[in-house]
Amino acid sequence: MFTSSSDKITRDFFDSILIEPRYIDSDLPTTDVEIFGQKFSTPIMTAALSHLGSRGKESASFIEEKAKNGMIVYAEAAAKSNTLHWVGMGDDQELEDIIATGAKSVKIVKPYADNKEVFRKIEHAVMSGCVAVGMDIDHAFNGNGDYDSCFGIPLRPKSSAEISEFVQAAGVPFVVKGVLSASDAEKCAKAGCKGIVVSHHHGIIQYAVPPLMVIGDILKAVGNDVDVFVDCGIVSGMDAYKCLALGAKAVSVGRHLMPLLKKGSDVVSQRINDMTAELASAMARTGVHNLNEMDASVLRFRQF
């Protein structure tokens, strides 16, 4: 069962970070970024959400029955904002429909107990045109001291050797989501992963350390060969700025966008664009001309 404690701790940590303006020698910045060999207009990405459609039991309460599948609306918004789109659990046809929107996408596969299904999902994602594929490792256990399951499908933790096998099978960049320690990050790097998502999966474990509290240790563990992304609790361009200044390649926004899906892809895209504009404003006010110049020295930390 998801709890709010980790979310609140994460929000408090975000709000404890202050920004030091630097106006001299500054100018209008660019937010362009290259991820997995693809060029995007913003480092503010979507998050790997699931089950936002109007398909029977998978319907979400905030999607009207007559509305278009929310997963497709979500993808359309990412395509319109020219940002990388992340896709969570769903059937094969839904993924193909998402790719058809033109959204450059990363498919995140659950840690199924049956590795044959993991490999099948990886193969389908690559054949469908995903620019990368990955796994959310933090969905292996439930809150009752047992292995987890999702929609009746058994899940299991994965070993370093298994992660390495998934990396080799993918043939495209492989990403592990749910990394919240330097230990796991180092194992991902050794397994050949090209990206990790620092995330506690909306409080899947209580009292989890905030992603930004451990990102420095994670960056040291993986070096320059692994892109580090941040997920959880990002609701503004200022939040994104703080993540990027601390070394993240890009950030994912999910639950903040979910209530907008019923209003259509244009509204969701506009919110992404507004957050990007807020990010650009913070960059201009701190003398950062592009994302390669992001500088943690402009950040100040209140006592947390």
Side-chain angles (χ1 to χ4, degrees), residues 46-238:
T46 59
L49 301 182
S50 306
H51 310 305
L52 304 180
S54 53
R55 299 182 178 183
K57 294 181 180 180
E58 294 186 357
S59 296
S61 61
F62 49 82
I63 299 293
E64 298 174 0
E65 287 300 320
K66 63 181 180 180
K68 184 188 297 184
N69 183 327
M71 294 296 293
I72 306 306
V73 174
Y74 198 38
E76 289 173 343
K80 289 175 180 178
S81 292
N82 188 29
T83 191
L84 184 59
H85 181 58
W86 295 68
V87 185
M89 191 177 187
D91 61 41
D92 292 353
Q93 185 59 57
E94 183 177 77
L95 178 60
E96 293 170 18
D97 292 343
I98 286 169
I99 299 299
T101 67
K104 296 174 182 177
S105 303
V106 179
K107 171 66 176 179
I108 297 298
V109 179
K110 292 296 180 192
Y112 298 113
D114 182 0
N115 277 351
K116 291 181 179 179
E117 181 64 5
V118 174
F119 287 117
R120 192 194 72 77
K121 284 284 190 181
I122 290 173
E123 181 180 16
H124 178 261
V126 174
M127 290 180 60
S128 298
C130 289
V131 302
V133 65
M135 174 176 286
D136 54 346
I137 58 171
D138 55 9
H139 227 303
F141 303 101
N142 63 25
N144 299 314
D146 205 345
Y147 295 126
D148 205 355
S149 66
C150 197
F151 286 86
I153 304 174
L155 309 178
R156 292 292 186 275
K158 299 303 177 184
S159 67
S160 296
E162 287 173 304
I163 297 294
S164 182
E165 290 175 357
F166 301 149
V167 169
Q168 294 301 315
V172 298
F174 193 88
V175 184
V176 170
K177 179 177 178 287
V179 174
L180 212 58
S181 68
S183 174
D184 277 350
E186 184 176 9
K187 291 177 181 179
C188 289
K190 289 181 177 179
C193 296
K194 294 302 182 183
I196 59 174
V197 181
V198 186
S199 167
H200 55 62
H201 207 135
H202 185 52
I204 201 167
I205 180 174
Q206 294 192 53
Y207 303 104
V209 293
L212 294 191
M213 184 178 281
V214 293
I215 190 172
D217 293 337
I218 287 173
L219 287 164
K220 290 178 182 177
V222 301
N224 297 322
D225 296 329
V226 180
D227 286 337
V228 176
F229 308 103
V230 173
D231 189 19
C232 293
I234 297 164
V235 299
S236 68
M238 296 301 289

Side-chain angles (χ1 to χ4, degrees), residues 230-252:
V230 173
D231 189 19
C232 293
I234 297 164
V235 299
S236 68
M238 296 301 289
D239 286 347
Y241 180 97
K242 295 171 185 180
C243 297
L244 298 167
L246 287 170
K249 179 77 172 185
V251 304
S252 288

